[in-house]
Amino acid sequence: MSARGEFPNVSETVTQASIDAYAELSGDFNPLHVDPVAAAASEFGGIIAHGPIALHAFLRAATDWLGVEALPPGSRVAVTYRAPTRPGDTIGCALTGAADADPLEAACVSQDGTTVVTVRATLP
Amino acid sequence: MSARGEFPNVSETVTQASIDAYAELSGDFNPLHVDPVAAAASEFGGIIAHGPIALHAFLRAATDWLGVEALPPGSRVAVTYRAPTRPGDTIGCALTGAADADPLEAACVSQDGTTVVTVRATLP
């Protein structure tokens, strides 16, 4: 909607420090997230971030865009995980549909062009 | 599905420490999350957690249930935020539909019976 202005261009760089912090707060210390040796031996070939970390750029952009401090009750955010996110990746988020669409459609894309997460959101 | 066994009963207590950690890692230092005085003066009447924190119990239960280390690519998790979560709340998560439904339906409920988040998830 034009009243909301342009969807902001927010990007986030994923770091091992933020993955470690997420492990602490979520209680998810899976070796895929915190043990480089075990992660290297896994099918992923190295550390991957917890899924919700890839979503931070979208959440920041959406709250900025709505001009709210937090997503209001009734907000619905549907996330499809497409590819792993790794330490060092920079994730940017952009709308892939119209700014007045409902649901709003967005994609979070890493610096090498990989879509890591797609989002469909209904925001009050 | 019976092969998956019973959906695990996981609960998480939300603390100011985990909210502070989430602020650090997400970059979202909104006063609603980290400033008790400003939050008390807001419409929420006190500190509220970042939305994704209410989802941790579901994510832990789902990965345990699937017997996977992380939600696999193609997983789709649709979250509707229903009510704020506050420090001290204990959030439990249970299926609200059949264990073989697709999407799987679940609700995350606080200790006082308030549904804070509902989830519809398609898990490969």
Side-chain angles (χ1 to χ4, degrees), chain A residues 32-83:
Chain A
L32 284 178
H33 305 309
V34 298
D35 181 338
V37 175
S42 77
E43 62 183 307
F44 294 102
I47 293 277
I48 62 171
H50 303 79
I53 290 179
L55 201 61
H56 290 160
F58 174 78
L59 294 173
R60 282 184 52 191
T63 49
D64 285 359
W65 190 56
L66 293 173
V68 296
E69 301 188 286
L71 290 187
S75 298
R76 182 170 188 278
V77 180
V79 178
T80 302
Y81 294 102
R82 304 283 180 184

Side-chain angles (χ1 to χ4, degrees), chain A residues 6 12 26 29 37 43 49 55 62-63 70 74-75 83 87 89 108 113 117:
Chain A
E6 199 166 339
E12 291 269 356
S26 69
F29 288 94
V37 175
E43 62 183 307
L55 201 61
T63 49
S75 298
D89 283 353
C108 302
V117 161

Side-chain angles (χ1 to χ4, degrees), chain A residues 1-7 65-66 94-106 120-124:
Chain A
M1 297 169 199
S2 60
R4 290 176 172 170
E6 199 166 339
F7 196 76
W65 190 56
L66 293 173
L95 296 187
T96 51
D100 59 355
D102 182 22
L104 205 61
E105 300 195 345
R120 291 163 64 94
T122 296
L123 306 175

